[in-house]
Amino acid sequence: MSREYAHFERLKVGPGRTVGYRLADAGALQALRERGAIVWENQRYGATYVVDEPGLLDALNRGVPIIHLGQPETVDAVLAIEAPVTWTVVELTCPEPIALERLRARGSHDLDERLDAWRETPRLPTADVRIDTSETAPDGAAHRIDRVVRPV
């Protein structure tokens, strides 16, 4: 897999996991709001999660950001930003028992809330690629996505 792909770390304000996020405080979040620099924000699990335009544009300048999003509205908001990029929308799914098994394996303590979020997440109508992760290993999914992003 190409090294130019990198996980986009959303901003996070609040408690919980810190790995995979750029942590911010309420003041920094408010400053972004005042500048109109927020592409999307949502609250869940007692925290605020943000896709910010400066962070996203910086990630685009460094390579191909992989943005993990859960709501179709968030995908639409990212697709709407003005940036010299062609996005590929990938929908990753799995059956609910597999989702529960994975949540337990990562040590999640708020299983009911996370399963509710899983159940509330609708399909992505704009997906270019759909992958059931219970049937496709991570390497296989990555290669499949790469073939769509960079056709031979």
Side-chain angles (χ1 to χ4, degrees):
M1 188 52 53
S2 173
R3 282 190 240 168
E4 69 187 80
Y5 291 97
H7 170 70
F8 174 73
E9 294 183 331
R10 288 178 292 159
L11 286 175
K12 180 178 180 180
V13 177
R17 281 182 43 185
T18 58
V19 175
Y21 298 100
R22 293 176 292 132
L23 301 180
D25 62 23
L29 178 57
Q30 186 58 34
L32 285 168
R33 286 180 183 134
E34 290 170 3
R35 289 182 20 221
I38 293 180
V39 176
W40 184 263
E41 78 176 87
N42 69 310
Q43 290 77 35
R44 193 167 292 273
Y45 316 120
T48 301
Y49 301 88
V50 176
V51 176
D52 63 307
E53 190 170 348
L56 190 52
L57 293 175
D58 181 58
L60 284 166
N61 285 329
R62 289 184 280 117
V64 180
I66 299 171
I67 310 170
H68 175 237
L69 306 170
Q71 304 84 7
E73 304 84 24
T74 312
V75 174
D76 292 342
V78 169
L79 293 173
I81 70 164
E82 292 186 30
V85 64
T86 301
W87 294 105
T88 300
V89 177
V90 178
E91 179 181 69
L92 302 175
T93 63
C94 70
E96 185 172 337
I98 301 295
L100 178 58
E101 178 182 312
R102 291 174 179 170
L103 287 168
R104 285 183 176 141
R106 76 177 229 184
S108 296
H109 298 289
D110 51 356
L111 294 177
D112 290 338
E113 187 176 359
R114 291 188 182 272
L115 277 178
D116 285 346
W118 183 91
R119 290 179 190 117
E120 293 167 3
T121 302
R123 302 292 304 260
L124 291 175
T126 58
D128 301 302
V129 179
R130 296 181 197 282
I131 299 172
D132 183 332
T133 61
S134 69
E135 298 173 355
T136 304
D139 283 350
H143 288 292
R144 185 170 162 200
I145 295 164
D146 190 53
R147 284 193 307 270
V148 173
V149 172
R150 293 187 294 207
V152 181

